[in-house]
Amino acid sequence: MIDQSQFTRRTVAFYTLGCKLNFSETSTIARHLQEEGFVRVNFNDGADIYVINTCSVTETAEKKCRYTINKAYESIRRHLLW
């Protein structure tokens, strides 16, 4: 259980690549975090926490995963500079 007193409107963004199992896992993680008081936001809007759920079975999936991680990193940098 997370001590909510540490958080004030903490946000979380999700990005899922892969099979139906990955989407199911992301849904479960999102539900648990929202129950703990996290607010789900759009991946491109900036978040306190980014959850990227993927597998890299193929080279294409690996490339998409790396692209998504870089996108999240750039979003974090933009928000930290302001």
Side-chain angles (χ1 to χ4, degrees):
M1 189 109 180
I2 298 172
D3 178 9
Q4 288 186 345
S5 66
Q6 301 174 45
F7 305 111
T8 56
R9 195 186 178 280
R10 300 290 290 190
T11 57
V12 60
F14 297 89
Y15 196 91
T16 304
L17 295 165
C19 64
K20 290 180 183 179
L21 178 59
N22 288 48
F23 284 91
S24 176
E25 290 171 341
T26 298
S27 180
T28 300
I29 294 167
R31 186 175 59 254
H32 287 294
L33 288 173
Q34 287 173 317
E35 288 171 359
E36 293 296 332
F38 284 80
V39 176
R40 188 173 187 166
V41 297
N42 186 297
F43 194 84
N44 296 320
D45 292 340
D48 297 310
I49 297 172
Y50 287 88
V51 177
I52 301 170
N53 185 8
T54 185
C55 62
S56 55
V57 173
T58 66
E59 185 177 340
T60 301
E62 178 76 21
K63 286 180 182 178
K64 285 182 181 179
C65 179
R66 289 180 186 274
Y67 173 80
T68 303
I69 291 169
N70 286 331
K71 200 165 137 180
Y73 175 72
E74 287 302 317
S75 180
I76 292 167
R77 284 189 51 208
R78 278 193 309 274
H79 286 89
L80 290 177
L81 293 176
W82 296 105

